[in-house]
Amino acid sequence: MRIREKAALAVAGLAVAAAGGTVFAGTSGAVGPSPSPSVQAAETSCVTDGAGMCTVQHALGAVPAVVVVSANTPGQFNAYMLNTVQGSYTATTFQVRAMFDQTTPKAGGAIWFSFAAYGGAPVTTPKPPSTTLPPPTTTPTRPTSATPTPTPTTTMPPETTATPPGGGSGLGG
């Protein structure tokens, strides 16, 4: 910044201070990748869907790292809260949601707001994660015999028709 520009800023700051405003000392440049970060700021409007959401187009050419939104309400009784929708950022759009309170969306209504979208990394196709698996482990098993184990059998003595020892006819006697 040249001396003349710094002096003009100082005079403007004094004028704001004299009018009762807040003055921030110093100036700062844009922060980000060289030569300068990608930023888009605009004012826009849209009509919300049944959930109070609408999609906004941007021209960053990259998925924004950050999007800041600020509602611009035209009337004193038309206030709504405005937030970006988590996970909705793409290389060309993002979504906002307008709510009257924590549980009531501004459904099917026009909303006006300003936004600033700060560029993130350029859009690239992600590589799938490596799926290198460890070698399979083997569990020792008991060897099996090729011949089946014979089923044990019991041999019963043959039935005899002989007379029990001690003789007799079995009629008591």
Side-chain angles (χ1 to χ4, degrees), residues 49 63 88:
D49 64 11
V63 176
S88 71

Side-chain angles (χ1 to χ4, degrees), residues 76-99:
Q76 65 181 3
F77 299 109
N78 195 21
Y80 52 87
M81 297 175 286
L82 188 66
N83 292 296
T84 57
V85 177
Q86 182 178 10
S88 71
Y89 300 176
T90 71
T92 57
T93 64
F94 63 90
Q95 289 183 317
V96 295
R97 186 170 194 203
M99 301 286 287

